[in-house]
């Protein structure tokens, strides 16, 4: 809603619309009451949960490691800009558990259990640290999975770390400019000029995807108005690997794709194929 109001103001004033990191990265506000409950309260009985902490410059990153007996692979999950481990983590565990993979989830700096001030550069650096930590415990057996904002983080990690076993991009898009343009109604396009901050200009999910040669799975809701299928398709097409698949979920919007019953067979097949490699 804030973005829509900003666009209306731009249209009326005839000025450029400034898009900065604050439009994409939205940490907890000072004094915000943490969401009720803790991950695991929802009955994630398929897993044994253990706290996980990681020091990163001026931040303390905190999350959980969820392990199950006999699981061969680990999913390192990066959520969207509203993701909080203790509020949304159980949904991830419930979706992945039938596929027999461990899960690691860590709150972004400035979110939930983690301290620090988030920037795009810091989130990317944190993600590499997190992957190196998890891959050190399960060498060559880590799948990186990102949803929305997290899809940019996951694709970046896959591009930078050849040890990534597989890549899952959920509700993904191409870049910040395409995202901003998509959020504007078509009739304002002739009047509005989108100006990105320098940090956002360097984010290119198509380029990141094209730099990853391993197996990939792209999950997209066919009713996603935030990161529409036509943009997710561009990211999928950029993946150079023949071992890729795109699953379009009927009736799904931007969130909830992973928990859809239509996704589970494809996700589990992807995990099982990677485990057999």
């Amino acid at each position: 809603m804030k973005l829509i109001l900003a666009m209306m103001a731009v249209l009326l004033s005839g000025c450029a619309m400034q898009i900065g990191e604050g439009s994409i990265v939205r940490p907890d506000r000072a004094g915000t009451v943490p969401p009720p409950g803790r991950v695991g309260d929802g009955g994630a009985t398929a897993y044994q949960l253990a706290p996980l902490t990681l020091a990163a410059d001026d931040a303390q990153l905190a999350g959980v490691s969820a392990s199950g007996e006999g699981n061969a692979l680990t999913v390192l999950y990066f959520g969207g800009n509203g993701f909080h481990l203790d509020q949304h983590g159980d949904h991830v565990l419930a979706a992945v558990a039938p596929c027999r993979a461990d899960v690691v989830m860590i709150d972004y700096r400035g979110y939930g259990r983690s301290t620090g001030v988030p920037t795009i550069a810091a989130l990317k650096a944190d993600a590499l640290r997190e992957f190196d930590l998890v891959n050190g415990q399960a060498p060559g057996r880590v799948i990186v999975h990102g949803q929305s904002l997290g899809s940019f983080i996951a694709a970046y990690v896959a591009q930078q770390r050849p040890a990534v076993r597989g890549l899952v991009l959920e509700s993904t898009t191409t870049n910040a400019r395409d995202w901003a343009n998509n959020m504007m109604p078509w009739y304002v396009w002739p009047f509005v000029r989108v100006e990105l901050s320098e940090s956002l200009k360097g984010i290119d999910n198509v380029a990141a995807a094209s730099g990853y040669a391993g197996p990939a799975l792209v999950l997209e809701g066919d009713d996603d108005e935030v990161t529409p299928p036509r943009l997710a398709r561009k990211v999928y097409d950029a993946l150079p690997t023949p071992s890729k698949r795109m699953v379009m979920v009927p009736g799904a919007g931007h969130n909830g794709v992973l928990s859809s019953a239509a996704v589970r067979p494809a996700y589990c097949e992807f995990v099982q194929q990677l485990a057999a490699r």
Side-chain angles (χ1 to χ4, degrees):
M1 178 60 70
K2 290 182 179 179
L3 182 60
I4 293 173
L5 292 175
M7 290 173 179
M8 292 176 63
V10 168
L11 177 60
L12 293 174
S13 65
C15 298
M17 182 174 66
Q18 305 286 339
I19 302 293
E21 291 191 7
S23 299
I24 295 177
V25 181
R26 300 167 187 163
D28 299 338
R29 291 174 295 179
T32 299
V33 178
R38 301 279 286 182
V39 64
D41 288 353
T45 55
Y47 290 107
Q48 294 292 321
L49 304 183
L52 185 65
T53 58
L54 177 63
D57 297 332
D58 57 347
Q60 187 77 11
L61 308 179
V64 297
S65 174
S67 58
E69 185 177 355
N71 293 347
L73 301 178
T74 298
V75 173
L76 176 58
Y77 181 86
F78 299 101
N81 60 16
F83 180 82
H84 288 75
L85 169 65
D86 287 316
Q87 188 176 8
H88 307 109
D90 277 341
H91 299 294
V92 177
L93 296 181
V96 177
C99 303
R100 302 299 302 275
D102 293 346
V103 181
V104 171
M105 296 176 287
I106 300 173
D107 276 329
Y108 294 129
R109 59 172 62 209
Y111 287 70
R113 300 186 185 187
S114 297
T115 66
V117 177
T119 65
I120 295 296
L123 295 183
K124 290 163 72 174
D126 291 346
L128 293 180
R129 293 187 184 96
E130 293 163 11
F131 175 80
D132 291 342
L133 174 67
V134 178
N135 189 63
Q137 299 169 347
R141 295 187 286 122
V142 181
I143 300 169
V144 289
H145 177 159
Q147 191 266 347
S148 192
L149 169 64
S151 74
F152 288 89
I153 304 298
Y156 172 76
V157 172
Q159 180 189 37
Q160 297 295 317
R161 293 292 190 262
V164 166
R165 187 68 163 262
L167 172 65
V168 180
L169 301 177
E170 176 190 351
S171 302
T172 190
T173 192
T174 50
N175 54 56
R177 185 176 300 280
D178 286 347
W179 168 78
N181 285 332
N182 176 72
M183 298 300 288
M184 296 190 298
W186 63 269
Y187 48 81
V188 308
W189 292 347
F191 309 101
V192 178
R193 183 178 73 258
V194 173
E195 293 186 355
L196 300 178
S197 66
E198 289 300 317
S199 60
L200 294 185
K201 289 179 181 178
I203 298 178
D204 188 337
N205 227 18
V206 170
S210 66
Y212 168 70
L217 176 65
V218 177
L219 308 174
E220 179 70 14
D222 69 357
D223 199 28
D224 189 338
E225 297 181 354
V226 178
T227 57
R230 61 182 176 80
L231 296 179
R233 170 66 66 173
K234 289 184 178 181
V235 179
Y236 174 80
D237 289 342
L239 291 161
T241 175
S243 301
K244 63 180 180 179
R245 179 179 179 184
M246 185 169 185
V247 177
M248 198 67 64
V249 184
H254 187 63
N255 297 308
V257 170
L258 183 61
S259 59
S260 170
V263 163
R264 179 177 295 178
Y267 200 99
C268 290
E269 181 181 355
F270 184 69
V271 171
Q272 291 162 6
Q273 289 176 346
L274 293 177
R277 289 171 67 98

